Amino acid sequence: MFQRRTITNDLTFFQKIRSFDYILLGCILLIGIISCYSMYSTDGGELQYHTKSHILRFLIFFTLMIVLSFFSIRFWHATGYLFYLIVLGFLIWASFYGITASGSQRWINLYFINLQPSELMKIAIIVCFAKYYHRTQISDVNSFKNLVLPIAILILPIVLVVSQPDLGTSILIALSGLVVLWLAGLNIKYFVYSSLVFIISMPFVIAFLKPYQKLRILTFFNPDKDPLGAGYQIIQSKIAIGSGGLTGKGFLKGTQSYLDFLPEKHTDFIFTLFSEEHGFTGSVLLLVLYAIMIFRILRIGSFTRSYFAKLYCYSFGSAIFIYIAVNMSMVLGLLPIVGSPLPIMSYGGSSMLATMIGFSIVMSSNIYSKQLIS
Amino acid sequence: MISGGDSSFRKLNTMNRRMFIISAAKLVVFTGIVTRLFSLQINENKKYLTLSDKNRLREWKLPPERGEFLDFFGKTIAGNLKVYQLHVVPEQVEDFKYLMVRLKDILELDEKEFSKIIKKKNKQKPWETLVVSENLTWDQFSKVNFYLHELGGAKPVLSVARSYPHKEKFTHVLGYVSQASESDLANSEIIKKNHVPGLRVGKIGLEKAFENDLIGSNGIQRYEVNAYGKRINQIDFEEGKKGKNLRLTVDTEVQKLANDLLLDKAGSISVMDIYTGDIIAMHSSPSFDPNLFLYGISHKDWQEIRENPLKPLVNKTVAGLYSPGSTIKPLVALSALENDVISPKFTVRCTGKMEMYGQTYHCWKKKGHGYMNLRNAIKQSCDTYFYEAARKLGVDRLNKTGLKFGLGEKVFGNTFIDEKKGLVPSTKWKKDNLGLGWVLGETLITGIGQGYIQTTPLQLCLMTAQLANGGYKIYPRIKVEDNQDTAEQIKNKMAFAGIEKLQEKKDDPKAPIIYRRFLNNKEQKYKPLYRNPENIKFVLDAMWGSTNEVMGTSFGSRIEDKKYQFAGKTGTAQVKKISERHRELELKAKDVPYEERDHALYIAFGPYKNPRYALSIIIEHGGTGSKVAAPMAKKLFKLIIDRHEEREKILKQNLSIT
């Protein structure tokens, strides 16, 4: 990157500011602005509740991210397990005292915010695993003890989230965890075996799914079967995106969303709205912004010195990619509909908070890239 | 510290290698997403754009405004009336049940009407307009408007509906409209295309015959709607086209008189222009008010119409079949003359009855007419003479003449769906249809218009017109169209056609030039129906005698004034064979039960000096033609000829316009 003194422990404030990755920061800010103005469009071109609260959250959490970036990477390493345990505690709390909305008990009331701990778990699991494998020797990674504990760490939150029930988030948590395990060097045969087991157990898993979840999977394979029922979301989303064309229908002119044909347009289907109004050009532009963002994250990972930070950045970069890919494939009709927000773009405080915390650790890795962790 | 150089190196190495695999996978997924975006937004853009428009745009068809019927003088005889209606679009109503119960209360609907509306709603699509009430009274309309704030989704609207200002006067000419049925939709493309719930279409009469001209086309309102079907804003509005206004040849005044004359009687009156074939009046009695059918006729009214023994539902003018009785005699006489079977001098002695083939055939005059020649036989309607004339003529030659003059064939073709053909019997017809040989006695009774022969009143009118115009074929019409031949033009064409006929007979030195002109015209219409025009003249003169000379059967109804003077022929058709005993009793009409009384008929044309109009009158079970039917002709001719000048004025106006 740029020349810096080797003593990284006591960087001056000015030096810290200078060593930010401004391209990454710019990407986040740009996507944030795009998300605010898409939210403005979902409100029908008026400064309504969703827009106001989204802008407020983005400003708060973006500031929070910058503040947290100044925390040393050592801090994150030190609090890795604690972070996981706190979020796990929240999850357990949610399963007992959580707020139920639309048939799912996902939120806890923290008085100033209704928090969805499962969203935070997506980050916490990465931090926790990064810390866990930081110390583990490569020869021990595949030992029995080092196999059982990480699986327990992964399974516990997944079970809690599935029982909320929230299939989408639990899948994303699982994928986040698996990415870290993969990067940490877990033997390929485990991945092959577990995928085999997964495929074989599919029919049994499906048998245990809630009727609405089953319906979603069936609908995915044939959305036209019941166009006004289960297939409605996929069909309407495809119509919206497809009708956008090369340049889109224009800002605030997306008829599909403006006339309420789009479901969940603030959250999971925000990309559909954006794509309808700004067309292929706009969508690719947004995708390129996301690509640059992920590339910068991975780049930071490759320059940072500590194994913890490297593993974290690689994993987080990959996880963010997975979230984006799952969300977009879903709205494009390539995957069944599971609740999964588009990072930064989608409305939702917890998702935004988790994403921003995630970014702040990446930023910290960048600022303290020369710092080693014993 | 990254400790243990080798181990951590391997650890980093593994991570980097695996990160590389993930990155490769990311590239694939990224490309996949972009490809999918490309295929949706660029390749299939058109398809999805259409789907999106289908989502957001919804069309509302407005009922087309039906064309009006005007009489010859341009007065409306079937028009459109502004009506107050109550519409509800079910999908825009939050609580449909509540709304309906409230409306039931406010409009004071009874259970039956209420369930009818609910049934109607269930048949429609939820965004289609449900017409709750088609004809609100002003009271109901203002009441609904008063409570409108509580009736979310109900829309009081001003609409147009058919109205027949003359009520029952024109029913059998115009027919009536009523709600389009499944079969209407299935049988007519144009109705299907323009259909909206509650659309009225013609069910019978001219309303049905000219449906395609009358119906017009829908106005279309295109709205942008949201996912819940709520109208957001109007995108565009296509105004509908009103159906064509049709001007008829009928004269309301004459039609009214026909109505008055037949009041409380079962029967029919038709009046026709003998050159143009224009129908001046056409009435079948009893009639009914077609306005009753607009909003679904009530059970009571329907019952009353259907069970009336005088059969108001039958359009007797075109669908009533009657024995023509003595009104056929001019035609029998003409046929006999044309076929050179008898000459006007041929004489028969009438003794009141005639024995033939072991049967007795009676003349209506029991004492007999004495020695009768042809002219007197027509004038006094001597049956015995016509038995003899018919015997000499034979039924097949009579059949040919009858068909030539328009009997046994629909006068208006397909215009009136209920029109009947009638029947002029022949030996072949009997063989083919009854499988029996012709009996000579049947020829005799056919000669006085009884037996198998059956005619509609309109056919008799046409027959009379074609005799009165000098024996030329005419083409009846009821609708005024542009560039129709005027009476003068038709007269000229007839003259040419007549000369052609003469040319065949005699070698008129002047004829060839005009004949050639005629041929060049290639005019095949208005052909002469006679062989010798003198025969026609003779028959017409005999009819004049029948009305205007002492001893003539309708002498009592004559008009002395030359302007109105008409010539006619009475007829009295037996409904039941008269037994010997009854004949001896000489029962008066009122002593016989209604259904067994004779039909009274009369055909006539006038003014005699320069004929222009022909008419036929039938009164079912009315008694004798001379006593009942002929007096009506007197009243009719007075009016018709007075109205003639008005008609000519209108024609001149139209000519000066065009």
Side-chain angles (χ1 to χ4, degrees), chain B residues 571-589:
Chain B
T572 306
Q574 283 173 18
V575 179
K576 199 179 166 235
K577 200 172 169 168
I578 302 173
S579 68
E580 284 305 316
R581 209 172 66 82
H582 274 140
R583 205 174 284 279
E584 273 158 34
L585 284 170
E586 278 191 61
L587 290 170
K588 290 267 182 292

Side-chain angles (χ1 to χ4, degrees), chain A residues 133 136-137 182 186 259 332, chain B residues 7 11 18 36 45 55 227:
Chain A
Y133 287 107
T136 316
Q137 298 287 321
W182 166 261
L186 207 66
L259 299 169
L332 288 169
Chain B
S7 167
K11 215 164 134 187
R18 291 193 173 191
R36 175 68 167 178
N45 175 239
N55 259 347

Side-chain angles (χ1 to χ4, degrees), chain B residues 304-359:
Chain B
E304 216 165 86
I305 290 172
R306 215 184 46 182
E307 284 170 12
N308 187 333
L310 302 184
K311 300 207 167 78
L313 286 173
V314 179
N315 185 358
K316 298 181 179 72
T317 317
V318 295
L321 291 177
Y322 304 92
S323 303
S326 303
T327 56
I328 200 73
K329 281 175 187 166
L331 198 74
V332 179
L334 180 69
S335 185
L337 288 171
E338 290 275 286
N339 289 297
D340 293 325
V341 176
I342 55 169
S343 78
K345 287 179 192 123
F346 176 72
T347 310
V348 171
R349 183 167 168 258
C350 169
T351 56
K353 60 184 170 186
M354 178 179 179
E355 300 280 339
M356 206 171 282
Y357 316 118
Q359 275 222 303

Side-chain angles (χ1 to χ4, degrees), chain B residues 62-63 82-88 129-136 138 141 144-145 148 153-160 221 231:
Chain B
L62 304 175
K82 293 225 169 351
V83 289
Y84 303 107
Q85 301 190 327
L86 186 66
H87 292 183
V88 169
T129 307
L130 173 69
V131 183
V132 175
S133 176
E134 286 167 315
N135 193 13
L136 294 171
W138 174 246
F141 188 69
V144 167
N145 277 303
L148 203 58
K155 275 178 287 186
V157 285
L158 196 61
S159 183
V160 287
Q221 283 177 313
R231 300 180 195 192

Side-chain angles (χ1 to χ4, degrees), chain B residues 583-634:
Chain B
R583 205 174 284 279
E584 273 158 34
L585 284 170
E586 278 191 61
L587 290 170
K588 290 267 182 292
K590 58 175 188 254
D591 302 326
V592 183
Y594 177 81
E595 311 84 62
E596 294 179 13
R597 287 181 211 165
D598 297 337
H599 292 328
L601 295 96
Y602 194 62
I603 57 167
F605 63 92
Y608 181 72
K609 280 288 155 205
N610 189 11
R612 191 57 201 273
Y613 298 103
L615 57 74
S616 77
I617 302 169
I618 285 187
I619 295 120
E620 284 185 9
H621 311 292
T624 63
S626 59
K627 279 201 192 106
V628 184
M632 290 184 181
K634 186 177 174 179

Side-chain angles (χ1 to χ4, degrees), chain B residues 251-262:
Chain B
D251 181 340
T252 307
E253 295 304 315
V254 182
Q255 182 78 14
K256 274 184 187 163
L257 178 64
N259 268 270
D260 295 343
L261 291 172
L262 292 180

Side-chain angles (χ1 to χ4, degrees), chain A residues 133-134 136-137 182 186 236 241-243 245 249 256 259-261 275 280 305 307 314 332 373-374, chain B residues 1-2 7 11-12 16 18 22 26 36 38 40-41 45 48-49 52 55-56 224-228:
Chain A
Y133 287 107
H134 178 70
T136 316
Q137 298 287 321
W182 166 261
L186 207 66
Q236 293 301 340
I241 293 171
S243 61
K249 292 177 182 167
Q256 283 286 104
L259 299 169
D260 288 337
F261 289 101
S275 195
F280 183 69
R305 301 255 318 254
Y307 183 82
Y314 284 172
L332 288 169
I373 301 164
S374 59
Chain B
M1 290 270 171
I2 298 173
S7 167
K11 215 164 134 187
L12 276 176
N16 284 332
R18 291 193 173 191
I22 291 185
K26 277 181 194 170
R36 175 68 167 178
F38 187 85
L40 284 181
Q41 298 196 294
N45 175 239
Y48 286 109
L49 213 54
S52 149
N55 259 347
R56 97 193 154 94
E224 190 169 59
V225 297
N226 68 9
Y228 316 108

